[in-house]
Amino acid sequence: MPLSGLPEDRRDERRAVIALCRRTPFGRLRGVFSSTEAHELLAAVLHAAYRDAGLPESGLADVIIGNAAGGGGNVARLAALTAGLPVEVPGLTIDRQCASGLDAISLACRLVESEAGAWFIAGGVESCSTAPLRAHRLTSLPGAPDFFSRARFAPETHGDPSAGQAAENVAAAFGVQRDEQDQYALRSYTRTAAALDGMSAEIVPTAGCDTDETPRRGMTSKVLSRFLPAFTAAGSVTAGNSCADADAAVVAVVTSRARARAAGFNTVLEFHGSASAGGAPALFGTAGAHAVLKLLEGIQLNRKAVSTWEYNEAFAAQVLASAQLLGVAPERLNLHGGALAYGHPYGASGAMLVANLLRQASMPGGPRDDGGWSVAAVSAAGGVGTAAAFRTVSLQ
């Protein structure tokens, strides 16, 4: 039976919640995790999440993981077995590129609410450092490789730009200037630096590393102004106001409100729906905003009621343009910083947004107290985006 068909008290108890988040440190491309494969990163956080949540031996229904640049197969299953989880846990890997981690968590929430399982671990993983080379077979020379750097996400009739060129397209279409992008990026660096100490509880030491390697330190307006355009000679998108590739895994423990209370969890994020939407592939950085608008309409929530926003920061230009579309002041986004400062492990970034929201929900005072609304959103290649809505709930 859908939640809408239940009495309010039963509906609340069956709602899915995010009870706990765990993640690896974020590693730089070819940095501390240069020889650590994706399933090894993921196994570390699966083991920790399973242990720290105190899940019953037969309680975990599935592991659902987003991954964008891997070598295929089923990294969720491989990592679950590597982590020592029960062999009965099957594992599911999904790919909506940068939205994959948020989609994985949303799927787990819906499965909980449909009573398809009691407990799930969901999130994402990416090892940009060990991602396999990609190649087609040459038709002119069977068996010879024709290497390519990325997959195709849209036909040429719609435009299929690189991420950087798409960010330039967005900046031009929405009139986002270079100084605005640099100012936003500096805010992200500053907020991330201020939030790092509060992130330690969620970090699982992995491959000898126990702190984030990625945050860009010592950034100033003067330093940002020195970066040259990275994608077009006369452009405004630079390495300073763009994210860096990263290696990381981020997961969330998902269950029902009733089970989370019985297990002793206190502050949780209660799931109130998600939506995915399509937009112009040539402007794919704004697709997350289209997903937010679709979501808010679907759950009949006024954006003014949302106190906490997380929007993935692949490029400052796309965040600023999306803020325009949403009618939200940029300074209200990403209170603990974002991917501009700590990096972008594609398949895991959507899950990191949820980890940020849970951390903020657990802070005393301010708009994140009991009952506060929060929204996470991410744009992905091909012109698609995903958004999810949550409320902060105190169970004990």
Side-chain angles (χ1 to χ4, degrees):
M1 178 185 294
L3 293 184
S4 58
L6 293 171
E8 185 173 351
D9 57 343
R10 285 191 61 204
R11 181 163 66 242
D12 286 346
E13 289 303 286
R14 273 182 49 181
R15 282 198 181 278
V17 299
I18 311 302
L20 175 150
C21 290
R22 292 290 181 266
R23 67 177 180 90
T24 65
F26 275 42
R28 296 181 184 276
L29 177 66
R30 292 183 287 277
V32 67
F33 296 136
S34 61
S35 59
T36 307
E37 296 186 41
H39 75 278
E40 296 172 311
L41 294 172
L42 181 56
V45 292
L46 290 180
H47 176 81
Y50 185 77
R51 175 199 64 209
D52 295 349
L55 300 187
E57 182 71 21
S58 60
L60 185 59
D62 211 344
V63 170
I64 305 174
I65 298 298
N67 181 243
N74 186 354
V75 70
R77 172 64 172 175
L78 175 59
L81 294 174
T82 303
L85 270 55
V87 295
E88 292 79 11
V89 179
L92 171 65
T93 302
I94 65 174
D95 177 5
R96 188 146 34 200
Q97 293 296 292
C98 301
S100 301
L102 185 57
D103 275 308
I105 291 174
S106 297
L107 174 57
C109 289
R110 295 188 182 280
L111 289 170
V112 164
E113 293 185 347
S114 67
E115 298 190 328
W119 297 85
F120 291 81
I121 301 178
V125 64
E126 209 68 67
S127 173
C128 293
S129 294
T130 68
L133 298 175
R134 299 182 176 193
H136 297 297
R137 289 187 175 88
L138 284 173
T139 55
S140 58
L141 185 61
D146 178 18
F147 290 102
F148 62 97
S149 59
R150 69 175 185 91
R152 176 172 293 281
F153 300 110
E156 290 300 335
T157 52
H158 290 72
D160 188 28
S162 67
Q165 184 57 60
E168 287 287 6
N169 294 346
V170 166
F174 287 84
V176 180
Q177 302 301 310
R178 164 72 183 267
D179 61 340
E180 296 176 85
Q181 296 174 54
D182 287 353
Q183 181 182 10
Y184 181 88
L186 183 60
R187 184 186 300 129
S188 180
Y189 300 138
T190 303
R191 287 180 171 180
T192 297
L196 286 176
D197 288 345
M199 296 182 182
S200 58
E202 71 205 31
I203 295 177
V204 179
T206 306
C209 178
D210 61 3
T211 58
D212 290 325
E213 180 190 26
T214 48
R216 300 177 176 181
R217 305 177 189 276
M219 194 66 74
T220 65
S221 297
K222 185 175 182 179
V223 171
L224 283 169
S225 69
R226 294 173 180 165
F227 284 96
L228 297 175
F231 303 101
T232 61
S236 60
V237 179
T238 73
N241 57 43
S242 305
C243 69
D245 294 341
D247 303 330
V250 186
V251 300
V253 173
V254 182
T255 189
S256 69
R257 181 166 165 170
R259 291 189 185 93
R261 178 186 291 109
F265 287 100
N266 188 358
T267 301
V268 298
L269 294 177
E270 187 177 75
F271 178 72
H272 279 264
S274 64
S276 295
L283 301 172
F284 72 72
T286 59
H290 298 306
V292 171
L293 295 173
K294 182 178 178 180
L295 169 66
L296 296 181
E297 181 180 4
I299 64 175
Q300 298 182 329
L301 178 66
N302 190 307
R303 69 174 179 272
K304 294 180 180 179
V306 179
S307 59
T308 314
W309 297 86
E310 283 286 321
Y311 200 102
N312 189 50
E313 295 178 349
F315 300 90
Q318 73 174 48
V319 182
L320 292 167
S322 295
Q324 287 185 35
L325 287 170
L326 295 174
V328 176
E331 57 268 22
R332 293 187 59 203
L333 305 176
N334 303 346
L335 299 181
H336 283 185
L340 287 170
Y342 55 66
H344 183 17
Y346 318 130
S349 288
M352 184 61 174
L353 303 181
V354 177
N356 287 339
L357 290 177
L358 182 60
R359 186 186 325 111
Q360 292 168 57
S362 302
M363 295 168 57
R368 297 166 295 282
D369 277 343
D370 191 36
W373 285 96
S374 57
V375 169
V378 57
S379 302
V384 296
T386 294
F390 304 91
R391 289 191 83 177
T392 301
V393 173
S394 296
L395 298 178
Q396 305 301 326

